[in-house]
Amino acid sequence: MSSEDITVVHLMRHGEVHNPDGVLYGRRPGYHLSDLGRKMADRVAEHLAGRDITHVVASPLERAQETAEPIAGAHGLELATDERLIEAGNVFEGKTFGVGDGALKKPGNWKYLTNPFRPSWGEPYIEQVVRMMAALGAARDAARGHEAVAVSHQLPIWIVRSFAERRRLWHDPRKRQCTLASLTSFTFHGDKIISVGYSEPARDLVPSHLLAGAKPVKGKAKAFGA
């Protein structure tokens, strides 16, 4: 196969967010990168500086835009926005979910917990697949024969990766391999995905309790799907 037939789209999760209250912020506006999150974004921009990136796009949420800006700047590109890269909708937005806070034991929340396979508390997984595959396709088309970076959020990235790798979509959120500022890289031959890779260029900057598979720490919120 010729190099012109190969396109790589790096789905990147945004960097750490300033969220001292541990709120599950979801699609809420006003949540920006922390100082550490900006360092993560800069680190990934440095990591990708030598790559053949011709297109950079991001979710409309501030944390994604701010993560993408240094990557676009390093390649002299205008940052594009794609609404389809947005975080998954969740009825628990605005609530806190620290370990041991009992949020999921409150009777008022039980009506949202009836179906983990859809899931009943938020945007259906299959709808996330549809929009994220469309966003991947658009980024691929914009960077044909080159590479693109698309900044999104943990849950949509994990769901579209699970779909591409033919895994079930329902899962344990603690086991998602999609840490802050990570890259889930889809390689296309023409329009077909032929491989999926994963890397963590800013791993040393990520707090240990937020790494994939880390055990929850009491008193530290972990905003799943962020």
Side-chain angles (χ1 to χ4, degrees):
M1 63 184 72
S2 71
S3 60
E4 293 181 356
D5 297 327
I6 300 299
T7 307
V8 180
V9 179
H10 304 281
L11 268 184
M12 180 182 177
R13 184 182 171 194
H14 60 79
E16 185 190 61
V17 175
H18 180 66
N19 182 22
D21 297 326
V23 172
L24 197 159
Y25 33 78
R27 293 178 173 178
R28 292 189 165 211
Y31 284 89
H32 298 266
L33 293 184
S34 64
D35 290 341
L36 179 59
R38 293 182 183 278
K39 290 180 181 178
M40 292 176 183
D42 289 341
R43 171 70 64 80
V44 178
E46 293 170 5
H47 174 77
L48 295 173
R51 303 298 292 258
D52 183 25
I53 292 169
T54 61
H55 181 66
V56 180
V57 61
S59 153
L61 296 173
E62 294 98 333
R63 57 192 185 271
Q65 294 277 314
E66 292 165 1
T67 298
E69 284 168 358
I71 300 171
H75 292 272
L77 299 171
E78 183 176 346
L79 175 60
T81 299
D82 190 331
E83 296 279 348
R84 294 170 294 193
L85 293 170
I86 200 167
E87 174 63 291
N90 192 308
V91 298
F92 295 119
E93 285 181 14
K95 300 183 186 301
T96 57
F97 279 83
V99 174
D101 67 2
L104 298 182
K105 295 181 180 179
K106 296 177 181 177
N109 292 334
W110 293 351
K111 62 185 176 182
Y112 301 118
L113 306 176
T114 56
N115 186 354
F117 307 106
R118 185 178 186 264
S120 52
W121 56 83
E123 181 184 10
Y125 292 139
I126 192 61
E127 291 183 10
Q128 294 179 53
V129 168
V130 170
R131 66 176 171 86
M132 289 296 289
M133 285 297 293
L136 269 176
R140 174 203 63 214
D141 291 345
R144 287 276 184 185
H146 305 278
E147 299 182 35
V149 176
V151 181
S152 186
H153 307 267
Q154 186 191 59
L155 179 55
I157 294 172
W158 182 249
I159 289 300
V160 76
R161 176 181 173 182
S162 295
F163 175 79
E165 294 181 333
R166 299 183 180 180
R167 288 195 303 275
R168 67 189 187 198
L169 301 183
W170 60 273
H171 61 282
D172 182 343
R174 297 168 296 182
K175 296 182 179 179
R176 294 173 191 157
Q177 188 184 43
C178 187
T179 196
L180 292 166
S182 61
L183 298 172
T184 301
S185 303
F186 296 76
T187 299
F188 291 84
H189 177 214
D191 292 347
K192 182 180 179 181
I193 296 172
I194 58 173
S195 69
V196 181
Y198 177 78
S199 60
E200 298 176 351
R203 182 180 175 86
D204 61 304
L205 297 177
V206 179
S208 59
H209 73 284
L210 294 179
L211 291 169
K215 293 183 178 180
V217 178
K218 191 170 184 177
K220 289 184 179 291
K222 186 170 183 178
F224 298 128

